[in-house]
Amino acid sequence: QVCSINSRFAKVHILYIGSTPLKSTFRGTIRLLCGLGHGLFPPTQVEVYKSFRPGDIVLAKVISLGDAQSNYLLSTAENELGVVVARSEAGVQMVPISWCEMQCPRTHTKDFRKVPRVQPQFLQT
């Protein structure tokens, strides 16, 4: 779950490993160059706020293990990784409408997100 963002990275809490909930949360970081995938924009033209927002639930891959002083480094650079749950400002769960946008079904407001092509094993209601 995304906790905070800035221009270079998103700070997250790791809540699950696969489908197993963790007993305590671990901190992670998704860096700009590791997180965007799709390869359609040069890194200088993509901003973290167009991919993630605080509160988003993200499907990511651990690419570097942390230690006592640092976070785990995560990536969403594959097409199957990205924001799987996002809420609009109206508090409604947003619906993916493209690989880079989600829409609020109540207000029809669109927001940028790094939307994955979610694999069937991750679809749960």
Side-chain angles (χ1 to χ4, degrees):
Q1 181 174 28
V2 178
C3 301
S4 64
I5 59 172
N6 69 28
S7 62
R8 295 176 302 148
F9 54 82
K11 293 283 187 181
V12 300
H13 284 149
I14 301 170
L15 306 175
Y16 283 80
I17 299 295
S19 61
T20 305
L22 300 177
K23 292 182 181 183
S24 60
T25 59
F26 292 85
R27 293 180 304 184
T29 301
I30 302 172
R31 290 190 194 153
L32 179 64
L33 296 176
C34 296
L36 301 173
H38 298 302
L40 299 178
F41 301 109
T44 56
Q45 293 181 345
V46 180
E47 299 170 49
V48 173
Y49 80 90
K50 289 187 175 180
S51 297
F52 313 106
R53 300 277 173 89
D56 288 354
I57 303 296
V58 177
L59 183 60
K61 181 185 286 187
V62 175
I63 59 173
S64 174
L65 300 179
D67 58 29
Q69 287 79 34
S70 67
N71 299 326
Y72 290 88
L73 183 60
L74 307 175
S75 173
T76 60
E78 297 173 20
N79 289 341
E80 292 76 22
L81 304 174
V83 176
V84 293
V85 177
R87 296 222 175 261
S88 68
E89 289 188 20
V92 178
Q93 186 168 324
M94 299 181 80
V95 177
I97 57 172
S98 75
W99 63 268
C100 65
E101 281 187 304
M102 289 186 155
Q103 184 174 32
C104 174
R106 180 181 298 158
T107 64
H108 303 290
T109 304
K110 296 177 184 175
D111 282 331
F112 289 107
R113 293 293 200 284
K114 197 290 188 179
V115 179
R117 181 178 52 218
V118 179
Q119 299 300 303
Q121 68 266 29
F122 296 114
L123 293 175
Q124 298 177 0
T125 54

